[in-house]
Amino acid sequence: MMSIRQRKGVRAADALGDGAPEPKLPSEGRASRRFWKILSFTVGGAVALCAGLLTSVYLATLHENDLWFSNIKEVEREISFRTECGLYYSYYKQMLQAPSLAHGFRGLMYDNKTESMRTINLLQRMNIYQEVFLSVVYRALPIQKYLEPVYFYIYTLFGLQAVYVAALYATSWLLSGTWLAGLLAAFWYVTNRTDTTRVEFTIPLRENWALPFFAVQVAAITYFLRPNLRPLSERLALLTIFTSTFVFSLTWQFNQFTMLVQALGLFALDSLGMLPAAKATWLYSIQVTALLLVCALQFFNSMILGSLLISFNLSVLIARKLQKNLKTGNFLHRLGKLLLHLLVVLCLTLFLNNMIKRTLNLRSDEHIFKFLKAKFGFGATRDFDANLYLCEEAFGLLPWDTFGRLSDTLLLHAYVLVLGVTATMALAAALHHLSDSPAQGHTGRCAVSLGPDTAYNLTHTVAFGALALSTMRMKYLWTPHVCVFAASGLCSPEVWGSLLKVARLHTPARVCVVRRAVPLLTLLCLGCKFWPGVMDELSELREFYDPDTVELMHWINSNTPRTAVFAGSMQLLAGVKLCTGRTLTNHPHYEDSGLRARTQAVYQVYARRPPEEVHALLRALGADFVILEDSICFERRHRRGCRLRDLLDVANGQGSAGGWAPGPWEGPGPEPAWSPGVCTRALACSWLVRSLCPRVMWKIVAQKKVTRPLLLKFGRNAGKSTITVVAEDISTNNGYVELSFRAQKLDDKDVFSKSDPFLELYRVNDDQSKQLVYRTEFSRVYSFLDYIMGGCQIHFTVRPQDPGPLPPAGQVHPPGRSQHPGPQLPGGPPDPDAAQSWSGSQDGRGDSQALLLGLGTPSWELSSFWAFSWGPLAGQGNRATQGGRGQESPPIGTDEIREERTQGH
């Protein structure tokens, strides 16, 4: 059995793989060992630098290949910063466009364009110091002629990915003692890119700024918790921990929740005696100090002051002073003291947090606790914000396909193996610490050894793993550390030593071989399996394409004043702020209670509310324009009950809390029948314009009349054809839609005849495919040649040329009953039966002219008339075609005109 004996006042040396004390080496051996350490450190550092830079270049190349970022327009580049990413980047742009830095800072501190009818301090409300810093650096450096501002911004973030990977590499190296583990961790980070990062398509997101510094902090804590550090090394480690914690807290609004999970892990280790008390105190103090410093820089942000982290850390420090001799006594006494200590810390934390929030009247994070309460089944809620989070897939449980992807790279198998072995060792060490008494002068014997650095990383991965399993969005905090933990475990002498001891195969040589052979084989396997895919991914070229949003931004810039106020969805308004600089009613930074109320008021355009009430709500926010999106009006991404309009109905008291039951306004099919509301009033226009060009409802609502060019497939213009859509709000339409269309001067698409125009209405499905809804044909006036060429049989009456005044249209009677004299035969009186048949020619000539009156309706009304001449066509058979079917027409000559009775013209 491997054992470590520690005596009071004596520091144990670093344990080797077999547990024996480090032998003393002669001077030549020490020099040789120092040389190999320096060489290993140099090579390992170079590999870490290369791994970080290659990852950064790889992600930047994916971003370029996916969007063709270097060749698209500036407005398209800005639109590619979706949702809140665009909002954050807009402040970087605002600082660069300011006449001076002083004007830029003043604009951020007294901003009245982010929220209409409000002046807010953006430096207090949001974590945008990184944008301020980058704008200052860009203006100071002489690079404006060589590097565009957007590239300076995105290259900085991709450069931080190099820091991120290097920090993960260093943590794995520190835990295992070999840089081979760091290389494996970096390789796993890249091959599991889908689950470890999303920087290539959400570049300005706050987590992409913060997580690299969080990884640096974890690496520094891992080094700080190693035993036998020199005082200078400890001070440098503490400085790194404080700096990285401060920058991490400054760049992400959710820093307090992340560090709270970290503090809970430290508290568990401290309570079990697996962490030196002095070092734990340092870590608690650094977290509180860094957070308070960030609070001061953010003009005493209330969300920071009311955070659970500050209350928890203060409670731990206070409870430690109140409860002395916590780690003395036998097993039962220590277990009882531990439970009492937990209860004291919990009660004190809740008390302090409640007192702070009551004193400062803080409500910034109440939506998070409502969401957690509803998520874990502590009662249904009508709260709009909580239900909005619950219905988002990102805040649901971690999908099972995530484990499938992690298994494909062998990461999950290695992680489960290392986690099982390390957790067993930790459990044995915890029981040993609880049952042993340090008052006896020694710590006794322990079958296994688990250092504080390994114990900390174990609690870190378990705590953030539980968080990721419960909330999918949090997996980006967990999966990178999974790469670190699994790689370090595969290279760890403790892990392989324990496994080989169980198998009764333990020798130092075997441990040394296995801890190097397994990672090398894993790297070789991953390289052979994923290298072709990586090359294919780098060679795949795409292009950013969103013409509708581009047109929206151009229309706003061209047709609205600079002072216009826009209302709409949070995600789209962030792009409006970035691309147009217009004032917003709401935006995606959802951490302010007042903003959440504003957003819910704006979203009433999609609820079952009368337009008058919605108009009053929007005008109260100062809105001049509202952007309606058919992706919300016709939402299909969420199931019924989770659509935005359903959540609003529940919040407005028109649905059941904890579930949504369809009411009489819901149709039985997949397409719901809408209840009266703003979207319903615009339903006809939205549906029509959607079939031609999605997401242009904004123009209909704003202009009432829109003229656009007609487009063929693949975006080509249909000649000079245009379509004009006019929207009219009819209050008494009872939910029915009436559409009228008219076309003029359409292009002729047939070669030898005139084409028959028709109109097709399509609906756009979720996969952007189109489904035909209705097809119609236009009414048209046909010429006589059309009837002849088409094989139509018509009713007609033949009269000699200039028979006298004709009756008005609609007053011609059937043959035999006409009030107008019938046609006169040559040299004879009018014949009343001549409307049915007439033979002969005038004066014996074959070129006589007559007026042909079309009587094509069942009521024998006059439909049309032609000046008709017959020529020398006798004896010729005419083959006419109608509707694709050929039929023989009777010969038409100079001597005879027959009447053919059919329905139609």
Side-chain angles (χ1 to χ4, degrees), residues 45-202:
V47 173
L49 181 63
C50 291
L53 291 177
L54 287 176
T55 304
S56 176
V57 173
Y58 170 66
L59 295 174
T61 304
L62 291 180
H63 174 260
E64 169 65 24
N65 291 353
D66 189 53
L67 300 177
W68 205 11
F69 201 76
S70 59
N71 283 271
I72 59 179
K73 301 177 183 178
E74 184 66 22
V75 64
E76 293 177 311
R77 292 177 179 176
E78 294 177 348
I79 291 173
S80 69
F81 297 143
R82 301 288 187 180
T83 64
E84 60 183 299
C85 300
L87 182 68
Y88 298 133
Y89 182 79
S90 69
Y91 302 124
Y92 169 74
K93 179 180 177 181
Q94 179 179 329
M95 283 291 295
L96 292 178
Q97 291 178 346
S100 65
L101 290 177
H103 283 82
F105 274 103
R106 190 177 300 111
L108 295 179
M109 294 175 63
Y110 302 97
D111 179 87
N112 55 10
K113 298 184 73 65
T114 301
E115 295 179 13
S116 60
M117 306 180 71
R118 277 186 179 181
T119 299
I120 61 175
N121 186 348
L122 293 172
L123 296 177
Q124 178 191 41
R125 178 76 70 81
M126 304 181 189
N127 298 73
I128 58 171
Y129 271 103
Q130 51 267 49
E131 277 75 22
V132 174
F133 174 76
L134 276 191
S135 63
V136 172
V137 173
Y138 183 80
R139 295 177 70 138
L141 295 177
I143 58 175
Q144 289 83 359
K145 295 182 180 180
Y146 313 104
L147 191 64
E148 298 178 58
V150 64
Y151 278 106
F152 182 71
Y153 188 91
I154 65 173
Y155 285 166
T156 301
L157 275 154
F158 285 127
L160 283 178
Q161 286 297 302
V163 177
Y164 197 3
V165 173
L168 299 177
Y169 183 105
T171 305
S172 191
W173 188 358
L174 288 170
L175 289 173
S176 63
T178 173
W179 56 264
L180 189 60
L183 181 60
L184 182 57
F187 207 90
W188 263 328
Y189 178 84
V190 173
T191 54
N192 293 278
R193 174 180 53 84
T194 304
D195 299 300
T196 55
T197 183
R198 48 180 177 163
V199 65
E200 72 271 18
F201 57 90
T202 58

Side-chain angles (χ1 to χ4, degrees), residues 184 187-188 409-411 414 490 517-527:
L184 182 57
F187 207 90
W188 263 328
T409 61
L410 304 179
L411 175 59
L490 287 186
V518 172
L520 285 174
L521 291 176
T522 305
L523 282 170
L524 183 62
C525 178
L526 292 177

Side-chain angles (χ1 to χ4, degrees), residues 651-792:
N652 294 337
Q654 298 169 338
S656 58
W660 180 88
W665 61 89
E666 290 287 348
E671 279 289 347
W674 280 71
S675 60
V678 175
C679 272
T680 313
R681 307 294 179 116
L683 179 59
C685 299
S686 179
W687 187 47
L688 170 62
V689 178
R690 172 195 172 98
S691 66
L692 301 174
C693 186
R695 298 189 299 276
V696 295
M697 186 60 209
W698 44 269
K699 187 174 287 189
I700 297 295
V701 175
Q703 283 190 309
K704 301 297 184 182
K705 180 177 180 181
V706 176
T707 300
R708 302 185 56 150
L710 274 177
L711 300 179
L712 300 175
K713 291 183 178 180
F714 311 111
R716 293 183 290 110
N717 289 330
K720 298 181 179 180
S721 302
T722 61
I723 182 170
T724 301
V725 182
V726 180
E728 181 181 0
D729 184 9
I730 302 176
S731 58
T732 58
N733 61 354
N734 294 324
Y736 291 95
V737 177
E738 181 178 344
L739 303 176
S740 299
F741 304 94
R742 185 181 64 166
Q744 294 178 341
K745 300 180 180 180
L746 296 178
D747 294 340
D748 192 3
K749 300 301 179 183
D750 292 341
V751 179
F752 299 105
S753 63
K754 292 185 177 180
S755 57
D756 298 330
F758 59 91
L759 176 67
E760 291 182 346
L761 301 179
Y762 291 85
R763 54 162 291 186
V764 180
N765 299 320
D766 291 340
D767 57 356
Q768 301 305 310
S769 61
K770 296 180 180 179
Q771 177 182 351
L772 180 64
V773 176
Y774 183 74
R775 176 183 292 160
T776 184
E777 294 186 1
F778 285 96
S779 300
R780 54 175 291 186
V781 177
Y782 295 93
S783 66
F784 183 69
L785 182 61
D786 292 328
Y787 288 111
I788 297 301
M789 296 299 294
C792 296

Side-chain angles (χ1 to χ4, degrees), residues 872-890:
L873 297 175
Q876 299 182 10
N878 298 329
R879 184 177 180 87
T881 303
Q882 179 179 14
R885 295 171 295 181
Q887 50 183 313
E888 295 289 341
S889 299

